[in-house]
Amino acid sequence: MIPGYRIRIYCFIGALVFLLASWALVEEIFNALTIWQFDAITGLRHHRITEHSVFDEQPWRFSLYLLQIIALFIVSSGAGLFLSWGVLRGRRAFKRWAAKF
């Protein structure tokens, strides 16, 4: 059994990481929606390529990459808020969630 203070520490570190990642994603989304271009990282795991995506040249590819970034933002923000709830409530935040598993 993990002590309550450690749960809060782990949740704080996780929330900090996820909320910083969502902040970086918001900046990418803002750039994409204001100047209609951004840099997307594509490719397989060991062959990553940074692709400069512009809406005027390739609207479908731009839209797909933008939807991917929006989905990542939603997931990372949700995880950050869930872990923030763990920081505030401690062990009590996960009682109902842990009872299902």
Side-chain angles (χ1 to χ4, degrees):
M1 197 88 181
I2 301 173
Y5 70 92
R6 280 193 180 177
I7 289 177
R8 288 184 182 208
I9 292 171
Y10 297 152
C11 286
F12 177 74
I13 293 169
L16 188 65
V17 167
F18 280 113
L19 292 176
L20 286 175
S22 63
W23 185 2
L25 289 170
V26 162
E27 290 181 359
E28 287 289 323
I29 293 170
F30 179 74
N31 287 336
L33 295 178
T34 55
I35 59 175
W36 295 101
Q37 55 186 339
F38 66 97
D39 293 330
I41 298 174
T42 61
L44 298 175
R45 182 179 299 167
H46 299 291
H47 303 286
R48 299 272 183 198
I49 299 170
T50 302
E51 181 178 336
H52 187 73
S53 183
V54 180
F55 181 76
D56 293 336
E57 295 174 3
Q58 297 176 333
W60 285 102
R61 185 173 286 202
F62 178 86
S63 302
L64 287 174
Y65 290 151
L66 183 62
L67 288 176
Q68 179 184 9
I69 289 176
I70 291 172
L72 284 172
F73 168 72
I74 291 170
V75 168
S76 66
S77 297
L81 291 175
F82 180 73
L83 291 172
S84 297
W85 184 249
V87 170
L88 295 175
R89 299 269 305 176
R91 186 178 299 281
R92 294 175 293 170
F94 305 110
K95 281 192 176 186
R96 293 181 71 190
W97 182 73
K100 293 179 184 178
F101 295 104

